[in-house]
Amino acid sequence: MKIGFIGLGVMGAPMAGHLADAGHEIVTVLNRSPLPMDLKASAVASPAEVARLSEIVITMLPDTPDVERVLIGRNGVLEGISAGKLVIDMSSISPIATAEFAAKFREAGAGCLDAPVSGGEVGAKAASLTIMVGGPAAEFERALPILEKLGKNITLIGENNGAGQTCKIANQIIVALNIEAVAEALVFASKAGCDPAKVRTALMGGFASSRVLEVHGERMIARTFAPGFRIRLHQKDLNLALESARALGVSLPSTAIAQQLMNACSARADGADADHSSLVRALEVLSDHELSKKKE
């Protein structure tokens, strides 16, 4: 089928590539960046034109304002959508805004799912993403063959639009607090005179073992902060968590601390686009100790 795919960034490009490899015809939007060399796709002038030409439209964009502009802005997807088509937003954005966008598409007779993902660039390239979906079960079943080309763990969280985004926020809370915990532990052990690499190896064999300790603990020690997932994007997700928590009357004290540490990292000249494992830098400043430095 013809699939519109808007948002060919670090994750979107390989995701669209998997759909093209599966035999689907990909339609996207012309922008300032050229199409990836290895992506078989045709480009048109606007999101509205993408919607006119496609049976299903997928968006993979950075933040709520980007999705709003592409979906319901001038020359947006809504202007080109027609009854019977399906919109799948795989961005990580506000659950409240998601429900509002979906209502507009339903008024036009189109289906709408929110399907944010976890797994980062590695998962996008390997088609092993975890996909958290919100929306009617019938629309989920229709989308499932497409989603199965992009991920392995695909779950319908709830039949209300916004359920997928709520689950993604929960995911980002857990990941952020795990990163903070690993960073605190390694800075503590290092300043006490232990080799953080050996501490990490020992902890990987016990109950403290985690994927974050394995991957991001190694990044912290090796100082390899080239982005897999940019800290500014995780910072955005924690902002969404705290905004939603205020609306729900939920207390998220540790999430607020993690967000402030990310704010401190983002204030650095090279901070906002570094990997989210670079949260350790804020703790190093507070402790006056860098992991790479041995205790005198």
Side-chain angles (χ1 to χ4, degrees):
M1 69 175 70
K2 278 191 176 182
I3 298 176
F5 203 109
I6 303 173
L8 300 177
V10 170
M11 294 181 65
M15 291 166 68
H18 294 313
L19 297 177
D21 291 343
H24 298 290
E25 184 178 345
I26 304 301
V27 183
T28 190
V29 180
L30 285 171
N31 55 32
R32 287 172 291 183
S33 301
L35 289 175
M37 293 288 291
D38 57 349
L39 177 61
K40 299 174 184 176
S42 57
V44 296
S46 69
E49 188 65 14
V50 170
R52 291 187 190 102
L53 294 173
S54 306
E55 298 172 55
I56 292 177
V57 178
I58 297 174
T59 50
M60 186 64 178
L61 299 163
D63 203 349
T64 306
D66 304 296
V67 176
E68 181 176 17
R69 173 178 52 81
V70 166
L71 290 186
I72 64 173
R74 184 172 177 270
N75 292 321
V77 170
L78 185 61
E79 290 187 14
I81 208 71
S82 55
K85 295 188 176 184
L86 178 64
V87 176
I88 307 173
D89 179 32
M90 304 190 77
S91 319
S92 295
I93 66 168
S94 163
I96 296 170
T98 290
E100 293 172 352
F101 301 155
K104 293 182 182 296
F105 283 99
R106 298 202 184 285
E107 288 174 4
C112 195
L113 296 171
D114 48 293
V117 304
S118 179
E121 182 181 4
V122 172
K125 288 181 175 179
S128 61
L129 294 167
T130 291
I131 305 176
M132 300 152 265
V133 187
E139 293 172 13
F140 173 74
E141 293 300 326
R142 179 182 173 188
L144 190 56
I146 300 298
L147 300 179
E148 286 175 338
K149 301 300 181 185
L150 306 175
K152 301 297 184 187
N153 181 20
I154 305 166
T155 306
L156 178 61
I157 304 300
E159 294 205 39
N160 55 307
N161 286 108
Q165 297 294 354
T166 298
C167 185
K168 177 59 188 289
I169 288 174
N171 178 87
Q172 296 302 81
I173 291 171
I174 293 170
V175 173
L177 298 190
N178 269 272
I179 291 173
E180 182 186 356
V182 168
E184 287 190 15
L186 293 180
V187 170
F188 163 75
S190 178
K191 192 159 187 181
C194 296
D195 181 342
K198 291 182 178 179
V199 170
R200 172 184 164 276
T201 298
L203 295 178
M204 283 298 298
F207 201 53
S209 179
S210 70
R211 183 67 172 159
V212 169
L213 177 61
E214 177 188 359
V215 176
H216 292 317
E218 175 60 27
R219 282 177 174 268
M220 294 172 191
I221 294 164
R223 321 305 290 174
T224 52
F225 296 132
F229 186 70
R230 288 176 170 81
I231 202 165
R232 63 179 169 83
L233 295 178
H234 207 151
Q235 182 183 17
K236 175 263 297 183
D237 292 339
L238 295 189
N239 286 339
L240 291 175
L242 295 173
E243 289 170 6
S244 299
R246 279 193 293 273
L248 293 168
V250 174
S251 178
L252 301 178
S254 296
T255 302
I257 292 171
Q259 186 219 29
Q260 288 301 314
L261 292 171
M262 288 188 180
N263 288 348
C265 291
S266 292
R268 294 170 54 111
D270 62 343
D273 285 319
D275 187 78
H276 54 173
S277 59
S278 66
L279 178 147
V280 70
R281 289 170 167 173
L283 292 169
E284 289 172 339
V285 170
L286 292 172
S287 303
D288 191 26
H289 179 81
E290 187 175 298
L291 283 184
S292 61
K293 294 179 180 178
K294 298 290 180 71
K295 183 178 178 181
E296 299 297 334

